[in-house]
Each structure stands twice: as C-alpha cells, then as structure tokens.
C-alpha cells in the first residue's frame, strides 16, 4: 500500500523527516514524502492550479493513505503545511481518505487539535487510533530515524498499524 507522507517542517534534518523515515523502515507502507512547498493558496486559482499543486494533488489521490508528521510553530499549524492543505479544500483529496496525524514537536497542545479539526472539516477518514501527539519529540525520536524509547516506537507503530487497518476496511 502506498502512503503519501507530508512533513510539516521545512528544516533540514527535522525530527519529523526522521519520523517519516522511521515509518518507512517499518515496512508497512510504500512511503512517498510529498513536498508541501507550494505557492500561496488563493481561491481565484483553485480550479486552474499551478502545476506543482496539481502534482501534489495527484500524489495524494494516488496514495492509499495520507500521513501528516508535523511540529507546532508559534503555537499553531506550520504555515506551509496549512497552505498545502488549503489547496485541497475544493478538490477533496482528503475526503474519505485514510489519514493519520502525528504531531511530533516539543509541545503540540495547540496545533494537534487544530489540525484534527481541519482534517475533520475536510472529511479525512480517521479514528482515535490514527492520531498521536508525540510531544517532547527529541526525547522520542532521534535524527537518525530511530526511537529513543520502546514506548515511543510502539506508539508510532500503533498509529501506522491502525492506518493500515483503516485502508482495508
């Protein structure tokens, strides 16, 4: 099964990139990291979107599931991630698509529920088991895409397994 992974961080060597790599190594999905660096969303161009937006949407459509791994920036959703998601509002790539959200950040208490609400509005197919707030991230995931504790690895594995199961139901 194919998983489109969206990294909410632009930082080179981000913990969320390491998290996506750790998920790739679990081998439950064929993981494709999809760039969320897109031009600013404007409703005026929702129907005649730029080619990079069309490619982004095509990757989401071709995937069996979507994973968002993101930090929290300034107590909110990273701007470029929200921008990328906004490009899907009218084209409905998230609608009924099995989706997982792992907010992997130092805090996350604001961005995580905000993103869950955005995904609910977009009708992403999620369960309680496909969402995880993995705060104190540097105590959970290493830059080399390994987990600091077995508990952190088990929590992430449970989300990925729940997402895989959601794809088959």
């Amino acid at each position: 099964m194919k998983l489109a992974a969206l990294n909410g961080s632009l930082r080179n060597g981000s913990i969320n990139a390491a998290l996506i790599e750790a998920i790739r190594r679990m081998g439950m999905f064929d993981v494709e990291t999809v760039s969320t660096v897109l031009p600013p969303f404007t409703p005026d161009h929702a129907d005649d979107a730029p080619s990079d937006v069309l490619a982004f949407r095509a990757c989401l459509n071709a995937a069996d599931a979507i994973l968002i791994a993101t930090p929290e920036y300034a107590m909110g959703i990273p701007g470029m991630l929200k921008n990328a998601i906004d490009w899907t509002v009218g084209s409905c790539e998230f609608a009924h698509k099995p989706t997982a959200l792992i907010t992997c950040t130092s805090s996350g208490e604001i961005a995580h529920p905000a993103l869950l609400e955005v995904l609910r509005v977009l009708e992403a197919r999620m369960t309680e088991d496909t969402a995880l707030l993995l705060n104190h991230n540097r105590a959970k995931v290493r830059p080399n895409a390994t987990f600091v504790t077995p508990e952190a690895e088990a929590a992430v594995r449970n989300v990925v397994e729940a997402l895989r199961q959601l794809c088959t139901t």
Side-chain angles (χ1 to χ4, degrees), residues 82 116 123 163:
K82 180 64 167 76
L116 285 172
E123 298 181 358
L163 182 60

Side-chain angles (χ1 to χ4, degrees), residues 1-4 29-30 59-66 96-99 125 163 166-167:
M1 281 189 273
K2 187 173 180 183
L3 178 66
F29 283 95
D30 174 19
C59 286
L60 298 183
N61 281 322
D64 297 298
I66 300 169
H96 312 291
K97 179 79 73 170
T99 302
R125 191 165 167 224
L163 182 60
L166 196 57
C167 289

Side-chain angles (χ1 to χ4, degrees), residues 1-100:
M1 281 189 273
K2 187 173 180 183
L3 178 66
L6 310 181
N7 182 351
S9 176
L10 292 174
R11 191 171 59 79
N12 287 330
S14 78
I15 292 296
N16 283 279
L19 175 63
I20 291 168
E21 178 57 28
I23 291 168
R24 176 182 285 109
R25 291 177 186 174
M26 289 178 181
M28 289 186 260
F29 283 95
D30 174 19
V31 179
E32 178 183 359
T33 302
V34 181
S35 176
T36 55
V37 180
L38 301 172
F41 171 74
T42 174
D44 294 337
H45 296 290
D47 293 331
D48 62 339
S51 60
D52 45 356
V53 172
L54 296 176
F56 172 75
R57 289 174 176 169
C59 286
L60 298 183
N61 281 322
D64 297 298
I66 300 169
L67 167 76
I68 298 172
T70 187
E72 175 179 81
Y73 287 157
M75 304 301 287
I77 301 168
M80 62 87 189
L81 176 62
K82 180 64 167 76
N83 180 66
I85 292 170
D86 285 348
W87 275 109
T88 72
V89 170
S91 51
C92 302
E93 282 75 20
F94 281 93
H96 312 291
K97 179 79 73 170
T99 302

